[in-house]
Amino acid sequence: MNDEKIIDLFWKRDETAIKETDKKYGRYCSTVSMSILHNELDAEECVNDAYLSLWNSIPPHRPQVLRTFLGRIVRNISINRHKSTHRQGHNCYMDVSLEELMDELGDCFPSDDDMTNELSGEIKEHLQAFLREQDALNRKLFVGRYWHSYSISRLSASYGLTEGAVEIRLRRTRTKLKKYLNERGISV
Amino acid sequence: MKKTRYQACLLISELDDDMILEAELANVPMRRRVGHVMKRVWLIAACMTLLATATILLFLPAMLREYPAPSPIPPLTSEPAVETPEPVVNWVSDPTLVRVERLSASEAVADPDVTEDGNLVSVESQTQYFANQLILIHFSCREDEHVMVEPSSWRSALNPVYLYTAEGDGHTRSYWRFKNEELDGHISVSEELEYSRYKDYFGRPVTVENGDVLLWQYANLALACMEDNFVDFTVVDDEGNITGGGSIYIGGYDLTSMSKNKKYYGESQYGDFGGSFESFCFTNAIYRPVVLGAYRYTNEGGGDNEIQAQCLKELHALALERRESLFADVSSELLRVSVREALADYAWVIGKTGGWGLSSFGKYQNETKYLIMSFANSLDPADHEYLLFLYEGTYRRITGWEVHLQNEYGGMIIGCLYLEDGTVVQVDLRHADQPVTLLPPAETETA
């Protein structure tokens, strides 16, 4: 079933919308969640939560691209889940990758303690604009690494670069982002 | 305590759809899990092998004593036949996967509002560009699949791709959508179609869902007509497995009309062709959208993507071979002889020299009536075997010329050409209204 029809089902409050969404994007959602949580049970829960959230979001929303709309929800829920399990002292998961990502992002983003809602909104705008200005490859690498949580080796294999080259490009992009934000009054 | 950056991760979640999609790689979540299982399998297999080896080594002396070595094998009189394993072909041809069609100018442009501003290039006659070069590509993938369409080279990437859906609205940065499924006169072209804006998107794959139609627009015909004008596509299911793919050739040529287009890419936008030379575009190219191959993997939903990608390359190689046959029915014998080389050399001549001698003059507007085509393989004036003169649709070989006044590039301003049938073409480019005069063989003697 295509996305338009699925969204229509949501708008009609037809519960088969969830079933169809799961059929079409279930694996995709699991992948997104697993890349953050590395735990199947938690990922499954997050995906289910995401479906509920999707159910509550449509209507009023009518997403242009259901795949990314849903992916975004799953990702946010998974990140929050990761955060809460850490707070509770559950540190038994293979959560190295999100830690790694957060470490890397430390180069260019303020920590949670320093992040206010206002600042967050401001950075969001600047981040979009900054990425638009980057060349396609660097943008893909950045989004691939920090949105999709791809490993350096996977990115290098996919784009025909050495792992070192990927790391250098990512580091340069982060450095540029930091500078970009600094120039706009956001110090990291 | 270590500072966390969950908020940063959440911020990144909010990136625009197109950025997320463009960065998404074919993802195979199961593969990772399968990988873990495979590691264990390999470990067990390795242990078993070690055990077996140890056992054999332990009992080998006793076995050798019990079974003495056989007599030596007599030498073979001829070389033993080497068995070549049959190549594994795991895809099958699927002609229903994709079909292409061409829209003529009259079909495509019903909208009188498609003006100069809406065109990719703000030079005269560009409406015709917009009008003529519309190729629709229909894919018939399953609902759980999508198609990744990629230009096979930067040349074909020069032609922007538009995703054209039933109820699409607006546009994203990875493609633009037209509003109506039928080309019913409501084509709207956003300002973002300016070349300078979309040039950043070269090489970006476009994702097509089932039922969508790709609208392939030719913007740069001079390059598009020459070579490497392939579109590769890969069918990918929701799990990221390649389930099919193929290659399309979209191109063609018709040398009966050319247009000089200085502004378009005469401003060193492209390194390879950089410079202030004048470039040329074919305005009435005859397009030959041909599906060179469309196939599905027989092991749908699984298999090794690397092997499948290799198959895609092989298919593309087959496509390259097939391309030659596309030109078989070209009317001009001379063109048929070496069209590829000729066109490539023509580009080279123009590009490298800024217009070499005879090849650079003429009135390259839509009302073109004559044109010099230099199909020489080098810049050696003696090598003019393929130097043609086109006049009102007829090609004639140029057998010689005289240059009485030349421009800074060595191009002819005043001079004459000698054609194979005895016709003499008098050239005087100072007269824009009548730059060439043909003196037929009969008049030549008296001239």
Side-chain angles (χ1 to χ4, degrees):
Chain A
M1 185 177 286
N2 67 30
D3 290 355
E4 285 295 315
K5 285 180 185 165
I6 294 174
I7 291 166
D8 284 344
L9 288 176
F10 276 109
W11 274 78
K12 289 173 191 166
R13 310 314 289 159
D14 184 340
E15 289 179 12
T16 56
I18 300 288
K19 191 181 161 192
E20 289 298 333
T21 305
D22 185 50
K23 198 170 146 190
K24 188 166 184 182
Y25 292 118
R27 283 183 185 276
Y28 167 69
C29 291
S30 296
T31 306
V32 171
S33 187
M34 277 290 288
S35 70
I36 294 163
L37 296 171
H38 297 277
N39 179 285
E40 285 194 37
L41 285 175
D42 278 11
E44 194 179 335
E45 275 187 44
C46 286
V47 172
N48 286 334
D49 290 348
Y51 290 156
L52 180 62
S53 179
L54 189 68
W55 178 260
N56 292 329
S57 306
I58 309 174
H61 292 289
R62 185 173 273 279
Q64 289 267 328
V65 183
L66 183 58
R67 187 182 180 86
T68 51
F69 188 82
L70 179 59
R72 203 173 279 127
I73 293 173
V74 174
R75 189 172 187 275
N76 287 350
I77 289 175
S78 302
I79 290 170
N80 286 327
R81 168 65 63 95
H82 186 281
K83 190 176 174 182
S84 69
T85 51
H86 268 244
R87 275 185 185 154
Q88 289 163 19
H90 299 165
N91 198 16
C92 55
Y93 303 149
M94 296 166 57
D95 51 5
V96 181
S97 62
L98 191 61
E99 293 292 344
E100 268 179 13
L101 298 184
M102 285 197 291
D103 279 349
E104 289 173 20
L105 291 173
D107 290 351
C108 45
F109 286 102
S111 70
D112 291 350
D113 298 337
D114 303 326
M115 189 80 88
T116 61
N117 283 345
E118 190 182 333
L119 183 61
S120 172
E122 208 176 329
I123 292 176
K124 183 182 156 189
E125 295 297 321
H126 291 319
L127 175 63
Q128 301 269 18
F130 169 80
L131 288 175
R132 293 271 180 230
E133 287 178 19
Q134 303 311 301
D135 72 49
L137 179 57
N138 286 341
R139 185 169 58 240
K140 283 186 207 171
L141 289 173
F142 187 93
V143 179
R145 177 72 174 157
Y146 302 117
W147 202 101
H148 296 286
S149 308
Y150 295 141
S151 66
I152 298 291
S153 58
R154 180 148 189 226
L155 289 168
S156 71
S158 300
Y159 292 106
L161 301 168
T162 62
E163 292 190 13
V166 171
E167 282 173 344
I168 287 169
R169 278 175 177 268
L170 284 169
R171 189 164 60 242
R172 283 181 185 158
T173 307
R174 292 196 305 266
T175 308
K176 277 159 73 178
L177 175 58
K178 182 181 180 181
K179 191 181 168 197
Y180 187 93
L181 292 175
N182 279 338
E183 285 168 353
R184 282 150 186 81
I186 298 166
S187 58
V188 179
Chain B
M1 187 181 167
K2 195 172 182 180
K3 289 186 175 181
T4 56
R5 284 178 171 79
Y6 286 101
Q7 289 301 321
C9 292
L10 293 172
L11 272 178
I12 287 170
S13 291
E14 301 306 310
L15 291 176
D16 285 350
D17 292 345
D18 61 319
M19 287 193 200
I20 298 166
L21 287 174
E22 79 165 353
E24 190 175 343
L25 303 173
N27 205 359
V28 191
M30 288 303 290
R31 177 178 278 186
R32 193 177 298 165
R33 280 174 253 168
V34 170
H36 289 309
V37 174
M38 287 306 290
K39 274 182 193 165
R40 289 178 197 171
V41 170
W42 279 112
L43 194 63
I44 291 166
C47 289
M48 296 285 284
T49 309
L50 275 175
L51 193 64
T53 310
T55 308
I56 290 168
L57 287 174
L58 196 63
F59 292 104
L60 189 61
M63 288 165 74
L64 287 175
R65 277 196 301 277
E66 198 168 335
Y67 302 103
S71 56
I73 299 167
L76 294 171
T77 51
S78 59
E79 287 290 316
V82 179
E83 287 186 16
T84 308
E86 285 294 315
V88 179
V89 178
N90 62 347
W91 50 267
V92 293
S93 176
D94 182 1
T96 63
L97 192 58
V98 60
R99 68 184 172 84
V100 293
E101 62 182 297
R102 187 173 71 90
L103 295 183
S104 70
S106 57
E107 288 169 312
V109 179
D111 187 353
D113 296 331
V114 177
T115 60
E116 202 170 90
D117 291 336
N119 287 303
L120 301 175
V121 194
S122 56
V123 296
E124 59 183 11
S125 86
Q126 286 305 301
T127 302
Q128 193 176 357
Y129 278 73
F130 184 75
N132 273 345
Q133 294 81 42
L134 294 175
I135 307 292
L136 300 186
I137 309 175
H138 305 257
F139 292 99
S140 302
C141 53
R142 297 194 308 255
E143 285 188 350
D144 64 336
E145 293 174 328
H146 58 274
V147 179
M148 304 294 289
V149 186
E150 253 182 307
S152 61
S153 70
W154 69 269
R155 283 190 177 82
S156 44
L158 284 174
N159 301 297
V161 176
Y162 304 90
L163 188 61
Y164 175 64
T165 60
E167 295 176 41
D169 55 349
H171 60 269
T172 76
R173 289 178 69 87
S174 49
Y175 49 75
W176 292 266
R177 290 167 184 248
F178 286 105
K179 283 189 175 176
N180 301 287
E181 187 170 25
E182 300 301 327
L183 286 173
D184 60 358
H186 296 281
I187 294 174
S188 59
V189 184
S190 91
E191 290 176 359
E192 298 223 11
L193 290 182
E194 289 169 35
Y195 182 75
S196 60
R197 300 293 295 273
Y198 68 71
K199 70 178 179 183
D200 292 339
Y201 307 127
F202 285 0
R204 178 178 296 188
V206 174
T207 305
V208 187
E209 301 287 342
N210 182 43
D212 287 348
V213 178
L214 264 184
L215 182 64
W216 193 267
Q217 178 179 346
Y218 275 80
N220 189 336
L221 298 181
L223 292 174
C225 290
M226 285 173 193
E227 55 179 321
D228 298 340
N229 202 25
F230 291 89
V231 185
D232 289 338
F233 66 92
T234 310
V235 186
V236 184
D237 69 14
D238 286 343
E239 296 173 25
N241 298 306
I242 298 175
T243 57
S247 192
I248 304 167
Y249 174 83
I250 305 172
Y253 54 89
D254 175 7
L255 306 180
T256 56
S257 180
M258 293 184 79
S259 174
K260 185 165 70 172
N261 183 350
K262 207 167 182 176
K263 186 174 179 181
Y264 186 38
Y265 57 101
E267 296 172 355
S268 300
Q269 291 187 64
Y270 309 112
D272 289 346
F273 287 81
S276 60
F277 60 86
E278 295 168 348
S279 53
F280 301 85
C281 289
F282 300 87
T283 54
N284 287 327
I286 297 171
Y287 292 97
R288 295 163 184 267
V290 176
V291 180
L292 293 169
Y295 62 92
R296 278 201 169 279
Y297 288 107
T298 51
N299 54 344
E300 283 182 16
D304 188 323
N305 277 352
E306 285 181 13
I307 294 173
Q308 292 166 346
Q310 183 58 36
C311 281
L312 187 69
K313 284 183 186 169
E314 288 172 15
L315 188 81
H316 189 254
L318 289 174
L320 281 169
E321 288 176 18
R322 281 200 59 193
R323 176 170 65 166
E324 298 305 319
S325 64
L326 292 175
F327 300 103
D329 60 343
V330 175
S331 58
S332 164
E333 177 66 25
L334 281 168
L335 289 179
R336 189 163 65 233
V337 169
S338 180
V339 68
R340 184 179 173 198
E341 289 75 11
L343 288 173
D345 285 343
Y346 179 69
W348 186 79
V349 167
I350 298 287
K352 293 290 183 185
T353 67
W356 168 65
L358 298 171
S359 65
S360 66
F361 81 84
K363 190 182 178 189
Y364 304 107
Q365 300 297 334
N366 283 338
E367 65 275 20
T368 295
K369 288 183 178 176
Y370 68 92
L371 175 69
I372 306 300
M373 295 299 298
S374 168
F375 283 2
N377 290 322
S378 73
L379 288 182
D380 182 353
D383 184 7
H384 56 267
E385 186 178 357
Y386 297 110
L387 199 59
L388 303 177
F389 180 76
L390 169 65
Y391 188 79
E392 294 185 344
T394 304
Y395 295 94
R396 276 172 285 187
R397 275 183 57 187
I398 297 169
T399 54
W401 60 85
E402 290 173 13
V403 180
H404 302 144
L405 179 63
Q406 63 184 26
N407 63 17
E408 58 184 315
Y409 303 115
M412 182 188 292
I413 295 176
I414 302 175
C416 60
L417 306 174
Y418 302 107
L419 306 186
E420 59 186 340
D421 63 352
T423 302
V424 173
V425 183
Q426 291 187 331
V427 179
D428 188 345
L429 297 184
R430 297 170 305 176
H431 303 295
D433 55 336
Q434 190 64 39
V436 296
T437 308
L438 268 67
L439 302 178
E443 294 180 28
T444 304
E445 291 177 5
T446 57

